[in-house]
Amino acid sequence: MCNDKIIRRIAGLFVMASVALGYLMHPGFLFFTAFVGFNLFQSSITNFCSLELMLGKAGMFGCAPRSNR
């Protein structure tokens, strides 16, 4: 499990970067913003977060891979 602050920071960074890229480069980057928002929404319902899973497998500080129960 990761600290929620790490997940929120990375998600916020992704949203800000994709909005900036959508504004400066190409509006297609806004689909990435929608993708991040959808993943945040589904993780609040299902308690499954793909970013948390990836960070745990990568050994990110404060994150541990979920055990198979």
Side-chain angles (χ1 to χ4, degrees):
M1 297 293 284
C2 286
N3 185 348
D4 286 344
K5 285 185 178 182
I6 294 171
I7 301 295
R8 285 184 273 183
R9 264 186 211 142
I10 293 174
L13 180 67
F14 282 171
V15 168
M16 290 187 303
S18 62
V19 167
L21 287 169
Y23 180 74
L24 297 171
M25 300 295 229
H26 189 276
F29 281 104
L30 297 176
F31 286 112
F32 184 66
T33 307
F35 175 74
V36 172
F38 175 75
N39 277 318
L40 288 169
F41 177 71
Q42 72 81 23
S43 72
S44 71
I45 294 171
T46 64
N47 203 24
F48 173 78
C49 179
S50 55
L51 179 60
E52 182 178 5
L53 183 67
M54 287 186 278
L55 291 175
K57 287 189 179 199
M60 179 79 161
F61 176 74
C63 300
R66 290 184 179 214
S67 61
N68 293 334
R69 294 182 189 171

